[in-house]
Amino acid sequence: WGPVGLLLATPLTVCLLVFAKHVPQLAFVEVLLSDEPAMEIQVSFYQRLLAMDQVEAIEILKNFLKDHKHEQVYDELLLPALSYAKEDRRRNNLNDHEELFLLQALREIIEIAGADLQRSILPEDGATAPVNRDPLPWVKIIACPAHGEADEVALLMLRQLLVSRNCSMEVLSSTALAAEVIARVREDNPALVCIAAVAPDGLVQVRYLSKRLRASFPNLRLVIGRWGFREFDEDGGSLPEELGQVGSTLLQTRDQIINLRQLISDVETKNRTET
C-alpha cells in the first residue's frame, strides 16, 4: 500500500498480537511476534539436554548466573531438569541412551556450577581462604539416593552447597542396598544421614530406608530431601514427620543440616562442660 501501508503496519501488527493473546489457536502468532522467551529458562535448559546440546545448555547456565545468586542455580535450573527427566522416563518418553547422556551432562555441568559457587565465596583479592569461615566443628554426613541415579546427582548438588560449611558428605551409590547403607552407617558413625528422592518417584524407597535406619539407629539424626516438582506425584503421598526432617528444596535441606550441626555442636559443648 505504499506510504499508507507503512503507516498502518505497526498498529495492525499490534492489533494482531493482542488478538493472538486471547485466541488459543493463534498462540503461535504471539510466540513469533513477541519479544518474550517462548519457554521458561528451566524448560529451555532441559530441552537443550534432550537435544544433546551440552554447549548450549552450559551457555544457558552462564546466562542464568549473571542475574541470579550462584546457590539458586541448583533449585531453579538443575534440579527441574532431573524432575523432567524422571517424569519423561516414567512415561517412556526418554530412552536409556538419552537418560545416560542427560545425567552425565548434568554431572559435568554441576562441576562448572560448583566452581562458580566457590569463586563467589572467595575474597576479591584472590586469597584461597573462604569468606566468613564456618565456626562450627567439622561433621561427617552420609548421603543416600533413594531411587536411581537422578537422586545421586541431586545429592552432588547438595554436597556443593555444604562445601563451605565444614561438612564432609559422602554420597553413596544409587545401587547400594538398604543393608549396605546400614552397614556403612554402623561403620562410619556419621553425625547425620541424608536421604534424597527427586519427584515424581522415590517415596516408597524413602519410607523403607528411613524405617530401616530408625530401627537400627534410634538416635540417628535423619534429614530427607524430597525435591523437584510435586505436581508430578500421582499418588499425592507425603512423608511422616517421625521419619526425620523433610526439605522440599535443596536450600531448605541445606539449612536444616546447618541447624542440626548447631544442635550437635551445642550437645558436644554441654557434654564437655559436664565432664
Side-chain angles (χ1 to χ4, degrees):
W1 293 343
V4 176
L6 181 63
L7 294 174
L8 293 179
T10 299
L12 286 176
T13 303
V14 172
C15 291
L16 178 61
L17 180 59
V18 173
F19 186 68
K21 287 184 177 181
H22 296 84
V23 180
Q25 292 80 1
L26 296 178
F28 69 95
V29 176
E30 181 183 3
V31 174
L32 288 174
L33 299 181
S34 175
D35 59 352
E36 298 179 358
M39 295 185 291
E40 295 180 352
I41 188 168
Q42 64 267 27
V43 178
S44 298
F45 178 76
Y46 178 63
Q47 191 272 338
R48 288 295 86 205
L49 292 177
L50 285 182
M52 299 187 179
D53 187 354
Q54 188 172 349
V55 174
E56 185 63 27
I58 293 174
E59 190 63 29
I60 293 175
L61 169 71
K62 293 180 178 179
N63 291 333
F64 180 89
L65 290 174
K66 292 178 181 178
D67 303 319
H68 299 79
K69 294 181 179 179
H70 289 76
E71 60 185 14
Q72 292 180 281
V73 71
Y74 300 99
D75 277 320
E76 298 183 22
L77 190 65
L78 303 183
L79 195 61
L82 290 175
S83 270
Y84 288 134
K86 274 198 169 186
E87 177 64 9
D88 281 345
R89 185 63 173 172
R90 186 169 64 172
R91 297 177 181 274
N92 294 321
N93 294 328
L94 195 68
N95 59 42
D96 292 341
H97 177 65
E98 291 170 334
E99 183 182 30
L100 179 63
F101 173 86
L102 188 145
L103 293 175
Q104 181 59 39
L106 276 175
R107 286 178 181 271
E108 297 176 4
I109 291 172
I110 288 170
E111 292 182 4
I112 296 174
D116 288 336
L117 178 63
Q118 289 307 302
R119 283 195 293 268
S120 70
I121 62 176
L122 291 178
E124 294 182 357
D125 58 5
T128 57
V131 178
N132 299 327
R133 187 182 294 274
D134 196 327
L136 295 178
W138 175 88
V139 296
K140 180 176 179 58
I141 302 171
I142 288 182
C144 310
H147 183 61
E149 189 178 353
D151 298 339
E152 182 180 342
V153 173
L155 282 170
L156 297 179
M157 304 181 200
L158 179 62
R159 183 170 66 181
Q160 288 188 350
L161 289 172
L162 291 168
V163 165
S164 62
R165 300 291 183 170
N166 281 354
C167 293
S168 174
M169 174 180 283
E170 179 181 1
V171 180
L172 302 184
S173 171
S174 57
T175 59
L177 302 176
E180 295 174 324
V181 173
I182 292 173
R184 192 57 177 272
V185 172
R186 181 174 289 110
E187 177 184 354
D188 291 355
N189 190 28
L192 60 91
V193 172
C194 177
I195 302 175
V198 177
D201 51 25
L203 280 177
V204 174
Q205 291 80 4
V206 168
R207 293 191 189 101
Y208 174 74
L209 182 55
S210 300
K211 291 178 179 179
R212 289 286 303 272
L213 287 170
R214 278 277 175 251
S216 301
F217 312 99
N219 298 322
L220 178 67
R221 293 180 174 87
L222 191 61
V223 176
I224 299 171
R226 180 58 176 165
W227 309 318
F229 295 123
R230 299 298 184 85
E231 57 267 28
F232 288 157
D233 285 335
E234 294 181 351
D235 58 0
S238 60
L239 296 169
E241 294 182 357
E242 58 266 22
L243 292 181
Q245 296 190 37
V246 181
S248 59
T249 67
L250 282 163
L251 292 179
Q252 183 181 13
T253 302
R254 180 202 63 182
D255 293 340
Q256 290 172 342
I257 291 175
I258 293 172
N259 292 336
L260 282 175
R261 286 186 57 228
Q262 182 65 60
L263 177 62
I264 293 170
S265 177
D266 293 342
V267 171
E268 291 178 350
T269 301
K270 181 180 179 181
N271 292 337
R272 286 195 298 267
T273 302
E274 292 176 351
T275 55

